[in-house]
Amino acid sequence: MNRRTLIFSFLLAWVPGFAAAGFSHAEWTGVLERFVDNQGLVDYAGLSRDRGALDRYLASLASSSPDSSPSQFPARDDQLAYWLNAYNALVIAGVLERGVDTMSVWGDGLFGIGFFTVERGTLGGRRWSLKHLEDDVVRDRFRDPRIHAALNCASVSCPRLMRRAFDGATLQKDLAAAMTEFVADERNCRFDAATRTVRLSKIFDWFTRDFVGFEKAMGTSTPTVLDYVNRYRAQGERVPTDSRLKFFEYDKRLNRQGVKP
């Protein structure tokens, strides 16, 4: 624990009212509860007609971040929860900006990723693109591959969008649950015993370096993506690591309510 974290811990424990200075994600939880269903699909049309809570949350993100206001984010998990929520909120705001009738956020710009490379919003007084936020902050600073089951890019093949904000106090439990759910879904991990072939979400292909790097850091010899997947599969559902590996096509249709996964 570094010196600054020790100081913040002392203040949280002993200074009355200090905890109240923490950053609130309540408005974002309100948006998710109202406009996201149990499948993680979004009522974009409804949100576009009643976006007051979203705009208030975006305004709070614009004014404060772990970089600009570190006293509001005393713990590492508080910081990561902020960046995860900010990414997901900026994605939804970006969909509303494009129009609720859009079929997909993919397809424009170089390699179809223009939505993610333009500056999408302000966080702590600084303009960000989604790609910069994901690659240079969430992935590079925290090096926790479970974030790939938490970030949502407004597509059908994305991990399920939770109906509440991430919070530092419960983040470790929530990230573990999110990855466990992700790899338990046959749309993301399906093993064919007859052909000894496993198909995985394209996310495991795009971010192989993150998953293999984590396994290497944990001491796994000759690590593979399947070693990481098996960490979160049930004991009787683990995939043989010598399986033939293929990846599902990524369904880039907008994750609107009513779409058939």
Side-chain angles (χ1 to χ4, degrees):
M1 184 179 290
N2 61 37
R3 186 169 179 270
R4 186 164 66 177
T5 302
L6 282 169
I7 292 171
F8 286 137
S9 298
F10 173 83
L11 291 170
L12 286 167
W14 296 104
V15 179
F18 183 80
F23 190 89
S24 174
H25 299 287
E27 295 277 18
W28 181 229
T29 288
V31 171
L32 295 169
E33 288 177 340
R34 289 188 60 196
F35 298 105
V36 178
D37 65 19
N38 290 330
Q39 293 179 288
L41 301 176
V42 183
D43 176 11
Y44 289 106
L47 179 55
S48 71
R49 295 189 295 267
D50 185 7
R51 54 176 295 165
L54 174 61
D55 287 337
R56 289 191 295 272
Y57 184 64
L58 293 172
S60 69
L61 294 174
S63 65
S64 299
S65 77
D67 291 347
S68 68
S69 307
S71 64
Q72 291 185 275
F73 307 91
R76 184 176 184 273
D77 283 355
D78 298 323
Q79 297 160 24
L80 180 53
Y82 172 96
W83 297 118
L84 293 174
N85 290 327
Y87 182 97
N88 291 341
L90 290 180
V91 166
I92 285 184
V95 172
L96 298 185
E97 182 180 326
R98 289 170 73 99
V100 298
D101 293 327
T102 188
M103 299 304 295
S104 173
V105 297
W106 299 77
D108 56 336
L110 185 64
F111 305 118
I113 59 173
F115 178 85
F116 303 97
T117 57
V118 301
E119 290 185 346
R120 186 57 57 191
T122 301
L123 304 174
R126 179 181 176 185
R127 296 288 292 173
W128 294 83
S129 73
L130 292 166
K131 183 170 176 54
H132 183 194
L133 179 56
E134 178 178 15
D135 290 345
D136 298 337
V137 178
V138 178
R139 292 176 62 209
D140 191 53
R141 292 187 192 178
F142 296 92
R143 298 186 181 276
D144 185 340
R146 296 176 300 176
I147 60 95
H148 294 299
L151 296 175
N152 186 281
C153 67
S155 302
V156 170
S157 282
C158 286
R160 183 176 65 88
L161 186 62
M162 288 205 320
R163 299 188 67 213
R164 57 181 171 81
F166 290 107
D167 182 84
T170 59
L171 186 64
Q172 293 302 310
K173 179 181 71 175
D174 288 340
L175 289 178
M179 184 56 75
T180 298
E181 176 183 305
F182 190 68
V183 299
D185 190 330
E186 284 206 340
R187 293 174 299 175
N188 303 316
C189 180
R190 183 185 303 160
F191 177 62
D192 184 338
T195 61
R196 291 190 67 79
T197 299
V198 59
R199 289 185 179 272
L200 297 179
S201 163
K202 193 68 174 174
I203 287 173
F204 290 103
D205 183 23
W206 290 334
F207 300 105
T208 295
R209 179 169 59 90
D210 293 4
F211 300 107
V212 172
F214 178 88
E215 286 298 320
K216 185 175 181 179
M218 294 297 289
T220 304
S221 60
T222 60
T224 69
V225 166
L226 291 178
D227 290 311
Y228 188 88
V229 169
N230 282 335
R231 285 185 180 272
Y232 294 93
R233 295 275 287 183
Q235 183 71 34
E237 300 295 328
R238 291 178 181 167
V239 179
T241 55
D242 62 350
S243 301
R244 183 184 180 194
L245 181 59
K246 293 185 176 181
F247 297 98
F248 291 112
E249 289 296 318
Y250 206 75
D251 190 339
K252 296 176 179 178
R253 292 176 297 158
L254 190 71
N255 61 341
R256 71 172 84 248
Q257 290 181 9
V259 71
K260 298 293 184 182

